[in-house]
Amino acid sequence: MQGDTIASIGRGLLVLIAVGRDDEAEDAAYVVDKTVNLRVFPDAEGRFDRSALKERADLLVVSQFTLYADTRRGRRPSFTDAAPPEQAGAIFADVVERFGGIGLRVETGVFQEMMDVSLVNDGPVTIWVDSAERHRSRRASPRRRSCWTRQAPSPETKRPFGGHCV
């Protein structure tokens, strides 16, 4: 990698995916469906009323196990709830394949590699989507498994810019 741009998107979503030990194919399906259908892009009046699907948004999907950091004890985060690399890699690949099957442009980082990810945050809008939410009442506290950030065109270049992995 060493300074090479691995992936880049225009206007769309930077999707950070964390896979937990208990995650399976149903979790991947839930996160993908929820992510592309949430109405988080503004309409003509500026209200969140358009989904990534309606906007034909690009997706930059990056594996991010550190979203599973447990900081309740001590000063060093624990990642014991994160899936081991073999399991996480398979589910991450499933998520990417599912996003691609929807017909949106999908770019990815490199699984298990150290990357610098740059983004232009539009809003800012950052939202957590947790696959365990589908089993929980709305009043329960969330466990976070994936997040994404809406991307905006770069003001300096006037070119669409979503982010890139280096």
Side-chain angles (χ1 to χ4, degrees):
M1 300 219 216
Q2 300 182 3
D4 295 333
T5 298
I6 304 303
S8 179
I9 64 169
R11 186 168 187 260
L13 303 176
L14 169 60
V15 183
L16 302 175
I17 299 290
V19 179
R21 292 186 175 278
D22 298 330
D23 287 346
E24 49 196 28
E26 292 80 19
D27 296 288
Y30 176 85
V31 166
V32 168
D33 179 68
K34 184 63 86 169
T35 300
V36 299
N37 287 296
L38 274 175
R39 297 182 319 184
V40 295
F41 288 90
D43 61 13
E45 288 82 44
R47 295 176 313 187
F48 283 1
D49 198 37
R50 298 186 52 81
S51 69
L53 282 176
K54 281 203 174 204
E55 288 291 311
R56 304 297 305 154
D58 292 348
L59 303 175
L60 177 59
V61 184
V62 178
S63 176
Q64 188 70 34
F65 78 93
T66 60
L67 292 173
Y68 263 101
D70 182 349
T71 59
R72 291 176 290 180
R73 295 185 57 205
R75 297 183 191 270
R76 181 180 302 144
S78 169
F79 302 103
T80 57
D81 287 340
E86 305 76 35
Q87 176 191 1
I91 293 176
F92 179 75
D94 184 28
V95 166
V96 170
E97 186 175 321
R98 288 172 188 267
F99 275 130
I102 290 171
L104 299 177
R105 181 173 165 254
V106 179
E107 297 285 335
T108 66
V110 178
F111 186 78
Q112 270 195 302
E113 289 291 332
M114 177 66 181
M115 293 177 288
D116 294 327
V117 180
S118 300
L119 70 106
V120 175
N121 204 354
D122 182 15
V125 176
T126 302
I127 296 176
W128 296 95
V129 175
D130 180 358
S131 61
E133 290 173 358
R134 69 188 196 285
H135 301 297
R136 201 179 291 135
S137 77
R138 294 184 89 187
R139 297 181 196 272
S141 65
R143 283 186 52 205
R144 294 168 172 113
R145 296 204 178 171
S146 75
C147 75
W148 51 264
T149 301
R150 191 173 71 200
Q151 303 293 295
S154 171
E156 295 84 32
T157 63
K158 307 234 188 283
R159 291 185 1 237
F161 175 82
H164 63 276
C165 298
V166 179

